[in-house]
Amino acid sequence: MMFFVAHELLGRRQWCSKGNHKFLSMILNVTVPKLRSPLFEPYRDIIQECLEQTTFCLYGYPQKKARMRHIQDHETTPIDLSWPKAAQLLKIFRPHVLPQFNSYKIDSISTDMETLLQQCISTMPIKYNIIGHTKPIEDFINRKTNSLPMLFNSDVLCFKMNWIYYLLADYYFKCRDFSKAIQYYEMDLTVDPTRFDSWAGISLSKASKCETMIGSIEVLRTKRKRI
């Protein structure tokens, strides 16, 4: 807690980012590994707010909004997010429970979180990235093979963050952007081909696209009859 008090005092003078943001980085390096510790449980909400202030000064996330009165503008210049730091940042903001395919939209991630996840993926080294490795799951879905693909052979760090693709897929599904939902469901199934919610989500997404296509055909037929 001393770090957070020091941050508040330094922030009042716009000094918290002095020295190439090293103080802010140190706060995260010390706090985040212990974030889920039972020792912090009684102070979970307070610590979360303090961490949000820290990441706001360091990366400009989360965005300062009227309802987030605990975040103050210390007039810092955010730094670019790197892949190792992305993993650290997502430990702070990842949902405690993943949304289900049939849960309410409010249970899905926010637009700001979607932007953050896309930013994290953009920093991902090529050897960890799922893009370009989804063909086996696509072939299985399209009945070109009867064998369910094995888990994607990637680095352990990728598997610690494999829920990224599912959260994005769920977000696009709940926003009815079914093309993007299918794309990210396929990525998630490449990493975890046993996730039921991804199979359900991708099935419903494809069904919705078919319904839209059929509806468009019916509209064209109606117009032709009128002509």
Side-chain angles (χ1 to χ4, degrees):
M1 298 299 289
M2 291 178 60
F3 287 135
F4 299 137
V5 174
H7 182 195
E8 182 181 357
L9 295 175
L10 291 171
R12 291 175 184 175
R13 294 180 175 272
Q14 291 81 48
W15 289 351
C16 62
S17 61
K18 296 289 186 180
N20 295 322
H21 301 77
K22 289 183 179 179
F23 175 66
L24 297 173
S25 296
M26 183 183 67
I27 292 177
L28 297 184
N29 292 339
V30 172
T31 308
V32 172
K34 303 176 182 178
L35 189 57
R36 308 299 175 188
S37 170
L39 184 65
F40 286 170
E41 191 59 38
Y43 317 102
R44 182 78 60 204
D45 293 340
I46 297 175
I47 291 173
Q48 184 67 28
E49 289 185 355
C50 292
L51 287 174
E52 287 177 0
Q53 178 67 65
T54 304
T55 58
F56 175 77
C57 291
L58 194 55
Y59 301 113
Y61 184 89
Q63 294 184 13
K64 192 176 186 303
K65 297 181 180 179
R67 68 177 183 273
M68 304 187 76
R69 297 179 180 178
H70 59 281
I71 294 182
Q72 303 297 318
D73 189 354
H74 294 166
E75 298 183 13
T76 61
T77 301
I79 62 175
D80 293 332
L81 188 63
S82 64
W83 170 244
K85 295 301 182 182
Q88 185 184 63
L89 194 59
L90 292 177
K91 285 182 180 179
I92 301 172
F93 294 104
R94 68 162 294 180
H96 294 294
V97 179
L98 293 179
Q100 297 178 321
F101 78 95
N102 59 348
S103 60
Y104 292 108
K105 185 177 179 180
I106 195 173
D107 295 326
S108 189
I109 61 174
S110 65
T111 301
D112 288 346
M113 185 66 173
E114 181 263 344
T115 302
L116 176 64
L117 294 182
Q118 290 290 6
Q119 187 178 358
C120 291
I121 290 176
S122 71
T123 68
M124 187 181 294
I126 295 177
K127 63 179 180 178
Y128 301 144
N129 207 314
I130 300 300
I131 297 175
H133 297 278
T134 59
K135 191 176 186 305
I137 201 72
E138 290 174 13
D139 288 345
F140 179 76
I141 291 171
N142 295 325
R143 300 180 63 85
K144 293 181 179 180
T145 178
N146 294 323
S147 300
L148 183 65
M150 301 293 290
L151 291 173
F152 177 69
N153 184 22
S154 184
D155 189 87
V156 174
L157 181 59
C158 178
F159 285 96
K160 288 181 179 179
M161 300 170 66
N162 66 0
W163 43 267
I164 287 180
Y165 305 107
Y166 176 74
L167 286 180
L168 286 169
D170 181 76
Y171 171 81
Y172 294 127
F173 176 68
K174 302 289 173 57
C175 291
R176 301 187 63 81
D177 189 342
F178 298 119
S179 295
K180 281 189 176 180
I182 291 170
Q183 176 187 355
Y184 283 95
Y185 277 132
E186 288 177 345
M187 290 182 186
D188 181 63
L189 290 170
T190 298
V191 177
D192 184 3
T194 64
R195 199 192 304 275
F196 170 79
D197 285 284
S198 282
W199 285 113
I202 197 171
S203 299
L204 291 171
S205 296
K206 286 180 174 290
S208 295
K209 290 192 70 175
C210 288
E211 288 178 1
T212 301
M213 188 179 300
I214 292 171
S216 299
I217 294 173
E218 292 298 327
V219 170
L220 288 174
R221 285 179 177 175
T222 302
K223 287 182 178 180
R224 287 180 179 178
K225 287 180 180 179
R226 290 176 180 175
I227 294 173

